[in-house]
């Protein structure tokens, strides 16, 4: 079965440009997460979707970051006017999202998109 | 708030045991453990719910002390394949799926 996929796997961009990162979750997973991981660092929460709604956007670093999810499936993370400090690996994860069920909480991670801002 | 993990890094010889601790300043509903190998995505190990239960995965087990707001991951008879960075994640609500991850513990098992 297909896991979580992300594209592109690598993205090099110039400072000030906009970028779009895509995440295809596991089919049927209602919960979707975006994380950022800087070199040698932990997993920084960015945003969480339940279906197409984002009840928690508290981790988005600035208003240059936005995300949407359509059809309860694919999600796109957009970074406008990229800065060098945006360079990191952006990870997407999905889970069943069924509250109260332990097995619904396991997050399946995609391979990530490595973003480099020059 | 981000949970605190200790130690930050540890080197083991094959067959040795290790303990990784995870502490939170907030009341916990759940603790999640993941392992990330270099250059790969994190992989789920186990979830523990409040109640002090202990779970196991191969020779890796974990405990959860709700009162102390702590969890510990136990690796026994370590193997080379255990090398990687271990992250604990804490959930503060049963009805909401957000997990806040710690900064990780880098574990290296050498022959």
């Amino acid at each position: 079965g297909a896991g979580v996929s992300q594209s592109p796997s690598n993205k090099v961009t110039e400072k000030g440009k906009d970028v779009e990162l895509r995440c295809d979750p596991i089919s049927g997973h209602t919960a979707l997460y975006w994380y950022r991981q800087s070199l040698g660092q932990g997993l920084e929460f960015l945003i969480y979707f339940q279906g197409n709604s984002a009840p928690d956007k508290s981790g988005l670093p600035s208003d240059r970051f936005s995300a949407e999810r359509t059809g309860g499936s694919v999600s796109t993370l957009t970074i406008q006017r990229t800065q060098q400090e945006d360079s990191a690996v952006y990870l997407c994860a999905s889970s069943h999202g069924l509250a109260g069920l332990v097995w619904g909480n396991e997050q399946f991670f995609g391979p990530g998109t490595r973003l480099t801002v020059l | 708030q981000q949970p605190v993990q200790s130690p930050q890094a540890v080197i083991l010889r094959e067959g040795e045991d290790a303990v990784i601790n995870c502490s939170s300043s907030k009341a916990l509903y759940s603790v999640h453990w993941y392992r990330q190998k270099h250059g790969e995505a994190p992989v789920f190990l186990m979830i523990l719910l409040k109640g002090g239960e202990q779970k196991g995965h191969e020779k890796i087990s974990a405990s959860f002390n709700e009162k102390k707001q702590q969890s510990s991951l136990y690796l026994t008879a370590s193997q080379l394949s255990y090398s990687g960075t271990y992250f604990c994640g804490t959930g503060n609500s049963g009805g909401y799926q957000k997990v806040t991850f710690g900064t990780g513990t880098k574990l290296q098992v050498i022959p």
Side-chain angles (χ1 to χ4, degrees), chain A residues 42-87:
Chain A
L43 299 165
E44 178 189 2
F45 169 82
L46 297 178
I47 188 169
Y48 154 72
F49 287 94
Q50 181 64 34
N52 291 333
S53 302
D56 191 336
K57 306 178 184 179
S58 61
L60 294 177
S62 73
D63 59 8
R64 297 187 295 106
F65 288 73
S66 63
E68 65 174 11
R69 189 179 184 194
T70 56
S73 180
V74 173
S75 176
T76 303
L77 177 69
T78 302
I79 309 173
Q80 295 179 310
R81 305 180 302 282
T82 52
Q83 304 294 312
Q84 288 183 332
E85 61 262 29
D86 299 335
S87 296

Side-chain angles (χ1 to χ4, degrees), chain B residues 28-49:
Chain B
L28 296 177
Y29 176 82
S30 61
V31 178
H32 311 234
W33 287 97
Y34 287 78
R35 177 172 62 204
Q36 184 179 32
K37 292 184 180 287
H38 183 69
E40 300 180 8
V43 173
F44 171 80
L45 292 176
M46 66 190 78
I47 291 174
L48 300 97
L49 296 182

Side-chain angles (χ1 to χ4, degrees), chain B residues 3-15:
Chain B
V4 177
Q5 288 186 234
S6 63
Q8 291 185 329
V10 59
I11 299 176
L12 297 174
R13 292 202 176 275
E14 261 186 301

Side-chain angles (χ1 to χ4, degrees), chain B:
Chain B
Q1 280 179 324
Q2 191 175 39
V4 177
Q5 288 186 234
S6 63
Q8 291 185 329
V10 59
I11 299 176
L12 297 174
R13 292 202 176 275
E14 261 186 301
E16 291 183 338
D17 302 341
V19 179
I20 300 172
N21 299 303
C22 175
S23 297
S24 174
S25 59
K26 296 174 70 173
L28 296 177
Y29 176 82
S30 61
V31 178
H32 311 234
W33 287 97
Y34 287 78
R35 177 172 62 204
Q36 184 179 32
K37 292 184 180 287
H38 183 69
E40 300 180 8
V43 173
F44 171 80
L45 292 176
M46 66 190 78
I47 291 174
L48 300 97
L49 296 182
K50 64 180 182 179
E53 69 176 285
Q54 187 148 350
K55 280 199 168 181
H57 173 77
E58 299 173 344
K59 292 183 181 178
I60 301 173
S61 62
S63 63
F64 179 16
N65 189 317
E66 180 190 352
K67 283 186 178 178
K68 292 185 177 180
Q69 296 170 189
Q70 291 178 347
S71 176
S72 294
L73 188 71
Y74 306 94
L75 299 100
T76 57
S78 58
Q79 305 169 16
L80 295 176
S81 62
Y82 286 2
S83 294
T85 300
Y86 289 77
F87 292 100
C88 77
T90 54
N92 301 109
S93 168
Y96 171 36
Q97 303 287 308
K98 179 180 177 179
V99 176
T100 303
F101 286 95
T103 52
T105 294
K106 190 170 184 178
L107 182 114
Q108 184 181 2
V109 181
I110 57 176

Side-chain angles (χ1 to χ4, degrees), chain A residues 93-117:
Chain A
S94 70
S95 72
H96 286 283
L98 298 174
L101 292 178
V102 173
W103 60 268
N105 290 322
E106 175 184 350
Q107 294 186 26
F108 296 81
F109 283 82
T113 293
R114 182 175 296 278
L115 175 66
T116 303
V117 182

